[in-house]
Amino acid sequence: MQFRVRHNHTTVDAPETVYFVREEKRKFEQMGIPYEIHYPKESMWQLIVRHVTPPTRLMRYCCADLKENTGEFGERIVTGVRKAESNNRKNNQGAITIPKPKKDLLKEAEKDDNFLSTNKGGVIVMNLDNAETRRTVENCFRTHKVIINPLIDWDDEFLWWYIKKNAICLNPLYGCGNCRVGCIGCPMAGDKRWSEFERYPKYKEAYIRAFDKMLIEREKRGLKNCNKWSTGLKVFKWWMEDDNMDGQLAFDMEGAIYEEYT
């Protein structure tokens, strides 16, 4: 069976992830398996300026522009997503997903118990059982980009057993206590972001610079900024849900006092 491996470079990947992907690409190509690293047209920093707002849990334009915009028409894409990774996937993800369906498919979904409409307007094809409607599902594949999730029901215990049994090489960040590895600063990561920016301070600086440029762009477009968005640093604090007050003092490594928040 012919296949190729694709990694979507998000421009906010951890350095360890970048080096790991490059090494994996070398290994796969030595085996004669095509391995593509897809570089986006715009970086995360450019997207922030163009969208004139930081990425949030509700406004996940970064996922759409950096991770979900690849694949050819009618292509079958195999992923490693699992229900155990999030409640949203547990409640809404099937073994095979057809994103952004046509109107006629939505009408078909209303009549067929093997199709499930999501609360986000998508359609999931429930193909976890050996149903008699398997043929109908395959007919829909001819004109849609299909995402297949073969690991969808794997729990954490079985996943790690399989990895150890087959001696699968992993991103080294999993050996540093990370349960999931994604974009640095992803709003979906919650409090984990604080430790990420401690480990990668240059990314924090890059986000603040992008937020500064975003504020300039907002002014050009005539968009109003609240007091919490007066500077790139304040946008960063708002984005990180930081409740510390401006003017708070801190100590550096030499014991000198400085103003942490301005």
Side-chain angles (χ1 to χ4, degrees):
M1 179 178 178
Q2 293 184 348
F3 71 96
R4 57 193 169 112
V5 181
R6 177 187 297 130
H7 170 76
N8 290 329
H9 182 80
T10 66
T11 69
V12 280
D13 294 321
E16 293 89 342
T17 299
V18 175
Y19 296 137
F20 173 75
V21 169
R22 290 176 183 173
E23 179 61 18
E24 288 294 286
K25 175 179 172 65
R26 184 187 66 81
K27 291 179 182 178
F28 274 84
E29 290 180 341
Q30 285 182 342
M31 294 185 289
I33 299 174
Y35 194 116
E36 170 192 351
I37 300 178
H38 177 78
Y39 295 93
K41 295 180 180 179
E42 293 179 289
S43 67
M44 170 65 86
W45 328 119
Q46 293 171 315
L47 288 175
I48 289 173
V49 176
R50 178 162 66 83
H51 287 276
V52 292
T53 186
T56 66
R57 294 184 182 93
L58 297 178
M59 298 187 64
R60 299 170 62 185
Y61 58 79
C62 45
C63 292
D65 292 341
L66 299 175
K67 297 170 64 176
E68 300 168 359
N69 63 345
T70 61
E72 300 175 1
F73 187 79
E75 187 176 42
R76 276 65 167 168
I77 299 175
V78 181
T79 79
V81 299
R82 299 181 299 118
K83 290 180 181 178
E85 291 179 317
S86 73
N87 289 329
N88 186 53
R89 286 176 181 168
K90 186 181 298 183
N91 296 330
N92 293 321
Q93 200 78 20
I96 299 179
T97 303
I98 301 179
K100 297 180 180 179
K102 294 182 178 180
K103 292 182 179 179
D104 57 346
L105 185 57
L106 286 172
K107 293 180 180 179
E108 187 176 357
E110 296 174 353
K111 303 175 183 178
D112 194 332
D113 293 335
N114 290 284
F115 288 79
L116 175 65
S117 297
T118 72
N119 59 359
K120 296 182 180 180
V123 166
I124 294 172
V125 181
M126 302 303 293
N127 194 30
L128 296 173
D129 301 319
N130 293 323
E132 295 179 354
T133 54
R134 174 66 185 269
R135 185 174 181 180
T136 302
V137 172
E138 290 178 345
N139 286 338
C140 294
F141 292 172
R142 296 179 183 176
T143 56
H144 294 80
K145 184 171 68 175
V146 178
I147 301 175
I148 305 173
N149 309 308
L151 311 186
I152 196 69
D153 283 323
W154 287 28
D155 59 23
D156 293 345
E157 182 179 1
F158 182 77
L159 175 71
W160 285 107
W161 171 85
Y162 186 88
I163 290 172
K164 292 177 180 178
K165 177 177 174 57
N166 292 278
I168 297 175
C169 184
L170 295 180
N171 186 320
L173 288 175
Y174 287 111
C176 299
N178 289 276
C179 297
R180 294 181 63 185
V181 176
C183 300
I184 301 300
C186 176
M188 305 300 291
D191 291 339
K192 176 190 171 186
R193 294 190 292 170
W194 289 108
S195 60
E196 288 180 341
F197 287 126
E198 288 180 3
R199 185 181 180 103
Y200 311 107
K202 294 297 182 181
Y203 280 83
K204 175 181 177 180
E205 295 172 8
Y207 272 110
I208 293 174
R209 287 196 301 271
F211 292 152
D212 279 325
K213 294 178 181 178
M214 178 196 78
L215 293 175
I216 295 174
E217 182 63 22
R218 288 180 63 88
E219 290 182 4
K220 290 180 180 178
R221 301 188 191 183
L223 300 175
K224 294 182 179 179
N225 295 321
C226 62
N227 183 52
K228 291 183 178 180
W229 280 23
S230 58
T231 67
L233 177 58
K234 288 191 174 183
V235 174
F236 181 83
K237 288 172 55 181
W238 172 87
W239 185 58
M240 292 291 290
E241 301 178 24
D242 187 345
D243 294 328
N244 288 300
M245 296 179 62
D246 287 341
Q248 184 170 330
L249 302 180
F251 293 91
D252 62 19
M253 297 299 293
E254 285 72 35
I257 299 176
Y258 67 97
E259 193 167 329
E260 174 72 11
Y261 295 99
T262 56

mmCIF file of all heavy atoms in Angstrom, residues 57-87:
data_model
loop_
_atom_site.group_PDB
_atom_site.id
_atom_site.type_symbol
_atom_site.label_atom_id
_atom_site.label_comp_id
_atom_site.label_asym_id
_atom_site.label_seq_id
_atom_site.Cartn_x
_atom_site.Cartn_y
_atom_site.Cartn_z
ATOM 1 N N ARG A 57 -9.172 29.647 22.864
ATOM 2 C CA ARG A 57 -9.866 28.355 22.812
ATOM 3 C C ARG A 57 -11.035 28.397 21.837
ATOM 4 O O ARG A 57 -11.385 27.387 21.234
ATOM 5 C CB ARG A 57 -10.381 27.985 24.207
ATOM 6 C CG ARG A 57 -9.284 27.713 25.225
ATOM 7 C CD ARG A 57 -9.896 27.255 26.557
ATOM 8 N NE ARG A 57 -8.878 27.033 27.565
ATOM 9 C CZ ARG A 57 -8.486 27.954 28.433
ATOM 10 N NH1 ARG A 57 -9.046 29.162 28.406
ATOM 11 N NH2 ARG A 57 -7.555 27.685 29.331
ATOM 12 N N LEU A 58 -11.651 29.565 21.704
ATOM 13 C CA LEU A 58 -12.800 29.695 20.811
ATOM 14 C C LEU A 58 -12.401 30.145 19.417
ATOM 15 O O LEU A 58 -13.062 29.796 18.439
ATOM 16 C CB LEU A 58 -13.816 30.681 21.407
ATOM 17 C CG LEU A 58 -14.436 30.275 22.742
ATOM 18 C CD1 LEU A 58 -15.386 31.356 23.234
ATOM 19 C CD2 LEU A 58 -15.161 28.942 22.619
ATOM 20 N N MET A 59 -11.332 30.943 19.312
ATOM 21 C CA MET A 59 -10.873 31.432 18.007
ATOM 22 C C MET A 59 -9.575 30.720 17.648
ATOM 23 O O MET A 59 -8.482 31.246 17.812
ATOM 24 C CB MET A 59 -10.668 32.947 18.047
ATOM 25 C CG MET A 59 -11.930 33.723 18.331
ATOM 26 S SD MET A 59 -11.723 35.509 18.166
ATOM 27 C CE MET A 59 -11.335 35.652 16.427
ATOM 28 N N ARG A 60 -9.714 29.501 17.171
ATOM 29 C CA ARG A 60 -8.555 28.655 16.893
ATOM 30 C C ARG A 60 -8.170 28.734 15.422
ATOM 31 O O ARG A 60 -8.061 27.720 14.723
ATOM 32 C CB ARG A 60 -8.862 27.225 17.321
ATOM 33 C CG ARG A 60 -9.157 27.093 18.814
ATOM 34 C CD ARG A 60 -9.691 25.738 19.185
ATOM 35 N NE ARG A 60 -8.744 24.677 18.906
ATOM 36 C CZ ARG A 60 -9.004 23.388 19.056
ATOM 37 N NH1 ARG A 60 -10.199 23.004 19.467
ATOM 38 N NH2 ARG A 60 -8.097 22.482 18.778
ATOM 39 N N TYR A 61 -7.966 29.937 14.934
ATOM 40 C CA TYR A 61 -7.563 30.105 13.538
ATOM 41 C C TYR A 61 -6.193 29.498 13.279
ATOM 42 O O TYR A 61 -5.869 29.118 12.147
ATOM 43 C CB TYR A 61 -7.571 31.582 13.151
ATOM 44 C CG TYR A 61 -6.675 32.473 13.978
ATOM 45 C CD1 TYR A 61 -5.307 32.530 13.766
ATOM 46 C CD2 TYR A 61 -7.211 33.284 14.980
ATOM 47 C CE1 TYR A 61 -4.490 33.347 14.532
ATOM 48 C CE2 TYR A 61 -6.398 34.112 15.738
ATOM 49 C CZ TYR A 61 -5.040 34.144 15.515
ATOM 50 O OH TYR A 61 -4.231 34.955 16.266
ATOM 51 N N CYS A 62 -5.383 29.394 14.327
ATOM 52 C CA CYS A 62 -4.041 28.821 14.157
ATOM 53 C C CYS A 62 -4.129 27.361 13.710
ATOM 54 O O CYS A 62 -3.359 26.918 12.854
ATOM 55 C CB CYS A 62 -3.250 28.938 15.458
ATOM 56 S SG CYS A 62 -4.192 28.478 16.934
ATOM 57 N N CYS A 63 -5.073 26.603 14.300
ATOM 58 C CA CYS A 63 -5.246 25.203 13.897
ATOM 59 C C CYS A 63 -5.676 25.109 12.438
ATOM 60 O O CYS A 63 -5.168 24.302 11.667
ATOM 61 C CB CYS A 63 -6.275 24.518 14.791
ATOM 62 S SG CYS A 63 -5.735 24.289 16.489
ATOM 63 N N ALA A 64 -6.628 25.963 12.060
ATOM 64 C CA ALA A 64 -7.143 25.931 10.692
ATOM 65 C C ALA A 64 -6.071 26.307 9.681
ATOM 66 O O ALA A 64 -5.958 25.694 8.617
ATOM 67 C CB ALA A 64 -8.341 26.872 10.566
ATOM 68 N N ASP A 65 -5.245 27.314 10.008
ATOM 69 C CA ASP A 65 -4.271 27.828 9.049
ATOM 70 C C ASP A 65 -2.952 27.071 9.070
ATOM 71 O O ASP A 65 -2.249 27.013 8.050
ATOM 72 C CB ASP A 65 -3.993 29.313 9.316
ATOM 73 C CG ASP A 65 -5.197 30.187 9.013
ATOM 74 O OD1 ASP A 65 -6.084 29.718 8.277
ATOM 75 O OD2 ASP A 65 -5.258 31.325 9.498
ATOM 76 N N LEU A 66 -2.598 26.492 10.196
ATOM 77 C CA LEU A 66 -1.278 25.871 10.322
ATOM 78 C C LEU A 66 -1.306 24.343 10.310
ATOM 79 O O LEU A 66 -0.310 23.716 9.967
ATOM 80 C CB LEU A 66 -0.604 26.335 11.621
ATOM 81 C CG LEU A 66 -0.356 27.836 11.755
ATOM 82 C CD1 LEU A 66 0.209 28.153 13.133
ATOM 83 C CD2 LEU A 66 0.583 28.335 10.663
ATOM 84 N N LYS A 67 -2.444 23.744 10.662
ATOM 85 C CA LYS A 67 -2.464 22.291 10.828
ATOM 86 C C LYS A 67 -3.495 21.574 9.973
ATOM 87 O O LYS A 67 -3.316 20.406 9.638
ATOM 88 C CB LYS A 67 -2.711 21.946 12.300
ATOM 89 C CG LYS A 67 -1.623 22.431 13.233
ATOM 90 C CD LYS A 67 -2.016 22.283 14.695
ATOM 91 C CE LYS A 67 -2.199 20.853 15.098
ATOM 92 N NZ LYS A 67 -2.480 20.726 16.546
ATOM 93 N N GLU A 68 -4.584 22.266 9.625
ATOM 94 C CA GLU A 68 -5.701 21.566 8.993
ATOM 95 C C GLU A 68 -5.933 21.970 7.540
ATOM 96 O O GLU A 68 -6.965 21.627 6.970
ATOM 97 C CB GLU A 68 -6.977 21.815 9.808
ATOM 98 C CG GLU A 68 -6.865 21.322 11.245
ATOM 99 C CD GLU A 68 -8.000 21.808 12.126
ATOM 100 O OE1 GLU A 68 -8.863 22.546 11.600
ATOM 101 O OE2 GLU A 68 -8.021 21.473 13.318
ATOM 102 N N ASN A 69 -5.004 22.689 6.951
ATOM 103 C CA ASN A 69 -5.228 23.191 5.592
ATOM 104 C C ASN A 69 -4.441 22.423 4.539
ATOM 105 O O ASN A 69 -4.261 22.901 3.428
ATOM 106 C CB ASN A 69 -4.868 24.678 5.509
ATOM 107 C CG ASN A 69 -3.398 24.930 5.786
ATOM 108 O OD1 ASN A 69 -2.706 24.065 6.301
ATOM 109 N ND2 ASN A 69 -2.923 26.111 5.441
ATOM 110 N N THR A 70 -3.966 21.237 4.887
ATOM 111 C CA THR A 70 -3.219 20.437 3.910
ATOM 112 C C THR A 70 -4.070 19.261 3.455
ATOM 113 O O THR A 70 -5.115 18.970 4.018
ATOM 114 C CB THR A 70 -1.912 19.927 4.521
ATOM 115 O OG1 THR A 70 -2.227 19.095 5.654
ATOM 116 C CG2 THR A 70 -1.035 21.067 4.969
ATOM 117 N N GLY A 71 -3.597 18.591 2.454
ATOM 118 C CA GLY A 71 -4.335 17.455 1.924
ATOM 119 C C GLY A 71 -5.021 17.800 0.622
ATOM 120 O O GLY A 71 -5.551 18.898 0.458
ATOM 121 N N GLU A 72 -4.991 16.873 -0.301
ATOM 122 C CA GLU A 72 -5.577 17.086 -1.614
ATOM 123 C C GLU A 72 -7.023 16.615 -1.646
ATOM 124 O O GLU A 72 -7.465 15.824 -0.803
ATOM 125 C CB GLU A 72 -4.748 16.346 -2.669
ATOM 126 C CG GLU A 72 -3.292 16.816 -2.731
ATOM 127 C CD GLU A 72 -2.458 15.987 -3.683
ATOM 128 O OE1 GLU A 72 -3.034 15.067 -4.302
ATOM 129 O OE2 GLU A 72 -1.258 16.246 -3.801
ATOM 130 N N PHE A 73 -7.763 17.091 -2.634
ATOM 131 C CA PHE A 73 -9.170 16.745 -2.785
ATOM 132 C C PHE A 73 -9.320 15.233 -2.920
ATOM 133 O O PHE A 73 -8.679 14.604 -3.754
ATOM 134 C CB PHE A 73 -9.738 17.439 -4.018
ATOM 135 C CG PHE A 73 -11.221 17.270 -4.172
ATOM 136 C CD1 PHE A 73 -12.097 18.029 -3.421
ATOM 137 C CD2 PHE A 73 -11.741 16.347 -5.061
ATOM 138 C CE1 PHE A 73 -13.469 17.890 -3.561
ATOM 139 C CE2 PHE A 73 -13.105 16.194 -5.221
ATOM 140 C CZ PHE A 73 -13.977 16.967 -4.461
ATOM 141 N N GLY A 74 -10.151 14.634 -2.056
ATOM 142 C CA GLY A 74 -10.386 13.204 -2.114
ATOM 143 C C GLY A 74 -9.318 12.364 -1.440
ATOM 144 O O GLY A 74 -9.390 11.139 -1.476
ATOM 145 N N GLU A 75 -8.340 12.995 -0.820
ATOM 146 C CA GLU A 75 -7.242 12.261 -0.207
ATOM 147 C C GLU A 75 -7.675 11.613 1.107
ATOM 148 O O GLU A 75 -8.486 12.156 1.846
ATOM 149 C CB GLU A 75 -6.075 13.216 0.047
ATOM 150 C CG GLU A 75 -4.809 12.537 0.525
ATOM 151 C CD GLU A 75 -3.664 13.528 0.659
ATOM 152 O OE1 GLU A 75 -3.915 14.644 1.153
ATOM 153 O OE2 GLU A 75 -2.537 13.198 0.279
ATOM 154 N N ARG A 76 -7.115 10.448 1.394
ATOM 155 C CA ARG A 76 -7.365 9.758 2.662
ATOM 156 C C ARG A 76 -6.232 10.113 3.615
ATOM 157 O O ARG A 76 -5.076 9.837 3.328
ATOM 158 C CB ARG A 76 -7.408 8.250 2.488
ATOM 159 C CG ARG A 76 -8.751 7.687 2.041
ATOM 160 C CD ARG A 76 -9.160 8.117 0.675
ATOM 161 N NE ARG A 76 -10.289 7.330 0.180
ATOM 162 C CZ ARG A 76 -10.978 7.642 -0.881
ATOM 163 N NH1 ARG A 76 -10.681 8.728 -1.574
ATOM 164 N NH2 ARG A 76 -11.977 6.883 -1.275
ATOM 165 N N ILE A 77 -6.570 10.715 4.743
ATOM 166 C CA ILE A 77 -5.570 11.140 5.711
ATOM 167 C C ILE A 77 -5.725 10.304 6.974
ATOM 168 O O ILE A 77 -6.806 10.256 7.568
ATOM 169 C CB ILE A 77 -5.733 12.634 6.044
ATOM 170 C CG1 ILE A 77 -5.554 13.477 4.777
ATOM 171 C CG2 ILE A 77 -4.727 13.058 7.104
ATOM 172 C CD1 ILE A 77 -5.805 14.953 4.991
ATOM 173 N N VAL A 78 -4.658 9.650 7.386
ATOM 174 C CA VAL A 78 -4.661 8.822 8.589
ATOM 175 C C VAL A 78 -3.989 9.598 9.719
ATOM 176 O O VAL A 78 -2.867 10.084 9.552
ATOM 177 C CB VAL A 78 -3.932 7.492 8.358
ATOM 178 C CG1 VAL A 78 -3.969 6.632 9.626
ATOM 179 C CG2 VAL A 78 -4.559 6.730 7.190
ATOM 180 N N THR A 79 -4.661 9.735 10.854
ATOM 181 C CA THR A 79 -4.123 10.486 11.984
ATOM 182 C C THR A 79 -3.939 9.568 13.191
ATOM 183 O O THR A 79 -4.340 8.403 13.182
ATOM 184 C CB THR A 79 -5.053 11.640 12.389
ATOM 185 O OG1 THR A 79 -6.136 11.119 13.168
ATOM 186 C CG2 THR A 79 -5.586 12.360 11.166
ATOM 187 N N GLY A 80 -3.377 10.125 14.257
ATOM 188 C CA GLY A 80 -3.198 9.374 15.490
ATOM 189 C C GLY A 80 -4.045 9.914 16.624
ATOM 190 O O GLY A 80 -3.766 9.643 17.794
ATOM 191 N N VAL A 81 -5.088 10.691 16.319
ATOM 192 C CA VAL A 81 -5.905 11.269 17.380
ATOM 193 C C VAL A 81 -6.684 10.169 18.100
ATOM 194 O O VAL A 81 -7.062 9.158 17.512
ATOM 195 C CB VAL A 81 -6.882 12.339 16.838
ATOM 196 C CG1 VAL A 81 -6.120 13.482 16.196
ATOM 197 C CG2 VAL A 81 -7.879 11.733 15.862
ATOM 198 N N ARG A 82 -6.911 10.394 19.401
ATOM 199 C CA ARG A 82 -7.611 9.415 20.234
ATOM 200 C C ARG A 82 -8.663 10.117 21.079
ATOM 201 O O ARG A 82 -8.501 11.266 21.475
ATOM 202 C CB ARG A 82 -6.619 8.688 21.150
ATOM 203 C CG ARG A 82 -5.545 7.915 20.411
ATOM 204 C CD ARG A 82 -4.613 7.197 21.389
ATOM 205 N NE ARG A 82 -3.923 8.128 22.266
ATOM 206 C CZ ARG A 82 -4.046 8.149 23.587
ATOM 207 N NH1 ARG A 82 -4.844 7.290 24.195
ATOM 208 N NH2 ARG A 82 -3.384 9.029 24.320
ATOM 209 N N LYS A 83 -9.732 9.397 21.397
ATOM 210 C CA LYS A 83 -10.779 9.947 22.249
ATOM 211 C C LYS A 83 -10.238 10.276 23.638
ATOM 212 O O LYS A 83 -10.685 11.225 24.275
ATOM 213 C CB LYS A 83 -11.929 8.948 22.381
ATOM 214 C CG LYS A 83 -12.758 8.755 21.122
ATOM 215 C CD LYS A 83 -13.863 7.747 21.385
ATOM 216 C CE LYS A 83 -14.692 7.509 20.128
ATOM 217 N NZ LYS A 83 -15.751 6.493 20.347
ATOM 218 N N ALA A 84 -9.281 9.496 24.101
ATOM 219 C CA ALA A 84 -8.741 9.691 25.448
ATOM 220 C C ALA A 84 -7.988 10.999 25.602
ATOM 221 O O ALA A 84 -7.703 11.423 26.718
ATOM 222 C CB ALA A 84 -7.824 8.518 25.806
ATOM 223 N N GLU A 85 -7.667 11.665 24.494
ATOM 224 C CA GLU A 85 -6.874 12.893 24.568
ATOM 225 C C GLU A 85 -7.695 14.100 25.000
ATOM 226 O O GLU A 85 -7.142 15.075 25.498
ATOM 227 C CB GLU A 85 -6.226 13.178 23.202
ATOM 228 C CG GLU A 85 -5.139 12.189 22.838
ATOM 229 C CD GLU A 85 -4.540 12.484 21.481
ATOM 230 O OE1 GLU A 85 -5.288 12.789 20.539
ATOM 231 O OE2 GLU A 85 -3.306 12.398 21.361
ATOM 232 N N SER A 86 -8.999 14.092 24.792
ATOM 233 C CA SER A 86 -9.821 15.226 25.199
ATOM 234 C C SER A 86 -11.278 14.820 25.247
ATOM 235 O O SER A 86 -11.707 13.885 24.556
ATOM 236 C CB SER A 86 -9.649 16.394 24.226
ATOM 237 O OG SER A 86 -10.293 16.115 22.994
ATOM 238 N N ASN A 87 -12.057 15.521 26.066
ATOM 239 C CA ASN A 87 -13.493 15.241 26.165
ATOM 240 C C ASN A 87 -14.206 15.537 24.858
ATOM 241 O O ASN A 87 -15.174 14.873 24.496
ATOM 242 C CB ASN A 87 -14.108 16.077 27.285
ATOM 243 C CG ASN A 87 -13.682 15.593 28.657
ATOM 244 O OD1 ASN A 87 -13.440 14.405 28.852
ATOM 245 N ND2 ASN A 87 -13.585 16.505 29.612
#
